[in-house]
Amino acid sequence: MSASLFSEAQYFTSSTKDASTCDGVVYFLPRNVLKVELTVQETDYYVGPYAEYAKSVFGTDDYISENKTKYEIQGVDVQVFSQPDPDASYCVWLDEKSKEHGTLEFSMTDDGVIRSFGDKISTEGSDISYMAANQYVELSKTDRSEVHFMNFIGAQHEPEENEDEEVSAKELTKEDKAKQIVENINNIRNLYRDLVSGFQEVSYGNTLNDMAVKTKNIENEYVSLFVGKEEIYTHKKAFYITPEAKDKNGMVIIAKISENEGVVNASSKNGTAIKIQFETAEPIVACNTKVDTDGENPIINNKLFYRIPASSSTKIYCGNDVLAECNLKISQFGKTMTVPINGCGILFNPNTGQVVRIKK
């Protein structure tokens, strides 16, 4: 009996911008939001306290000459979420005669995106979960430690016999200390070479490897006095992008990256643009299927609007370099169609707006 009454009901559907004017049920089709998460490597460069003698005393051109920070993008992750499309909201109502025996059996997400219509079908058992977009900018930071250089005092000059006391008491110049540091480095390298080559006659047993590592660490501390130190940190920053229909074969600037400031907003005047490009193929639609969206505010009988999402080849660039490439389904790039509902139960994909199942 209920199925007969259900089939006789007359339904009307129209797009709406104001839910308060709808004498029925309002539902939304979804649009997709992209979360682009950037893994940023931050390298801090610190000048060594004896950098001025790196070439003349230590004999190297490879040293840090100024304190600075450099930012680079090390990785990109793209995820797709869904939210109600404010440009795809619809009102469904019954005519006066149908109100007595017709029903508006809808199931929707908490956001109002359609999941199913009709009492002949249920969303239970469906493996399609709604991926709601929580739009906030994430910024995870790595704990930073303060950089220190060893405090080298240097060995004082031992006076020779009959040497003037004033001369013997004279403090070492910075260049004298630099030369002593180089001498220490050479001694440490000789010690390390003896340890790893087995030249030492003493058997250190299992402690040999530990001694070699500690010796190398001491050498590195001395060398850093000339060449400086690098500290590397990584953090993640996320941007949420909602593509518009006009972007389906276009490019959108997500953010910018500056060597001095890191990742900044797209509106910043400085930095290299991080862009996302869409190359979208038209969705496949049966040749005898009519797209019922003609007119600004059409009213259709006994049908609901749904979507066929488009497949988009998506690339993310930093300047002219491709950082990531993936293929995404984006609902708002697709086509809006209609499906008959009289006497039917229909299951929709709440992330794309596509019809998944029809039960009569």
Side-chain angles (χ1 to χ4, degrees):
M1 182 67 177
S2 61
S4 175
L5 292 176
F6 183 86
S7 63
E8 294 175 359
Q10 293 296 309
Y11 298 90
F12 299 95
T13 306
S14 175
S15 62
T16 180
K17 296 295 183 184
D18 185 0
S20 64
T21 63
C22 176
D23 186 20
V25 174
V26 173
Y27 75 90
F28 290 87
L29 293 179
R31 67 179 180 184
N32 296 124
V33 179
L34 309 184
K35 177 186 177 184
V36 181
E37 186 177 81
L38 306 174
T39 300
V40 183
Q41 178 176 288
E42 176 184 341
T43 306
D44 294 334
Y45 298 89
Y46 299 91
V47 176
Y50 291 86
E52 60 194 287
Y53 300 106
K55 185 173 182 179
S56 61
V57 176
F58 187 60
T60 182
D61 291 319
D62 187 15
Y63 64 95
I64 298 170
S65 58
E66 62 175 332
N67 293 326
K68 62 180 181 179
T69 301
K70 182 180 179 181
Y71 296 88
E72 295 180 297
I73 296 176
Q74 294 295 305
V76 180
D77 181 62
V78 180
Q79 298 179 53
V80 182
F81 297 92
S82 300
Q83 65 178 197
D85 189 341
D87 295 324
S89 59
Y90 301 95
C91 175
V92 184
W93 69 96
L94 291 158
D95 67 0
E96 290 300 323
K97 294 180 180 179
S98 300
K99 286 181 179 180
E100 297 178 3
H101 52 261
T103 58
L104 292 171
E105 293 279 349
F106 279 90
S107 172
M108 289 179 275
T109 68
D110 293 340
D111 292 338
V113 174
I114 190 168
R115 295 183 67 98
S116 69
F117 172 82
D119 59 359
K120 293 175 178 289
I121 202 160
S122 172
T123 60
E124 292 182 8
S126 171
D127 58 355
I128 303 172
S129 59
Y130 180 58
M131 297 178 292
N134 298 315
Q135 293 201 50
Y136 57 92
V137 176
E138 293 181 349
L139 181 62
S140 63
K141 295 182 179 180
T142 304
D143 291 337
R144 304 169 68 90
S145 56
E146 191 174 350
V147 173
H148 296 282
F149 289 93
M150 67 184 300
N151 184 21
F152 182 78
I153 299 175
Q156 293 294 327
H157 170 71
E158 293 185 6
E160 297 180 3
E161 189 177 354
N162 299 323
E163 187 174 6
D164 188 282
E165 291 185 4
E166 291 187 4
V167 174
S168 65
K170 184 179 180 181
E171 291 188 3
L172 293 176
T173 66
K174 192 173 183 180
E175 185 175 5
D176 290 334
K177 291 182 180 180
K179 291 176 180 178
Q180 283 194 7
I181 293 170
V182 172
E183 185 177 344
N184 288 354
I185 291 173
N186 290 331
N187 292 335
I188 292 170
R189 286 175 175 173
N190 290 334
L191 175 60
Y192 178 80
R193 189 161 46 248
D194 291 344
L195 286 171
V196 299
S197 65
F199 179 78
Q200 294 279 355
E201 295 182 359
V202 179
S203 176
Y204 293 106
N206 295 331
T207 64
L208 179 61
N209 183 64
D210 186 51
M211 291 175 64
V213 171
K214 288 182 178 179
T215 302
K216 200 65 178 176
N217 289 340
I218 294 172
E219 177 193 341
N220 292 336
E221 283 298 316
Y222 275 114
V223 170
S224 70
L225 295 175
F226 293 103
V227 302
K229 288 186 176 183
E230 296 180 14
E231 292 291 327
I232 297 176
Y233 309 91
T234 58
H235 63 267
K236 296 181 184 293
K237 192 165 187 178
F239 294 88
Y240 288 82
I241 307 299
T242 305
E244 300 179 14
K246 64 181 178 62
D247 301 323
K248 64 188 303 181
N249 285 299
M251 186 175 287
V252 179
I253 297 178
I254 303 171
K256 291 183 179 179
I257 183 166
S258 165
E259 279 200 0
N260 299 323
E261 302 175 42
V263 176
V264 294
N265 291 330
S267 58
S268 175
K269 295 181 179 180
N270 301 321
T272 302
I274 302 170
K275 302 165 287 189
I276 185 166
Q277 183 181 46
F278 303 101
E279 294 181 5
T280 306
E282 290 297 323
I284 299 174
V285 179
C287 60
N288 63 345
T289 304
K290 184 177 183 296
V291 182
D292 293 321
T293 56
D294 298 331
E296 183 178 346
N297 193 29
I299 297 177
I300 56 175
N301 295 342
N302 299 320
K303 295 179 182 180
L304 292 180
F305 289 101
Y306 75 100
R307 266 187 174 146
I308 300 179
S311 180
S312 182
S313 176
T314 306
K315 294 180 181 179
I316 298 177
Y317 290 85
C318 181
N320 295 321
D321 298 328
V322 178
L323 300 178
E325 185 173 0
C326 54
N327 194 62
L328 305 175
K329 285 187 178 293
I330 301 179
S331 297
Q332 56 268 41
F333 286 173
K335 289 192 176 294
T336 303
M337 311 290 292
T338 60
V339 58
I341 58 176
N342 243 340
C344 299
I346 304 172
L347 181 66
F348 298 85
N349 185 325
N351 299 300
T352 64
Q354 193 165 16
V355 172
V356 176
R357 190 184 310 136
I358 300 176
K359 186 176 181 180
K360 295 186 177 182

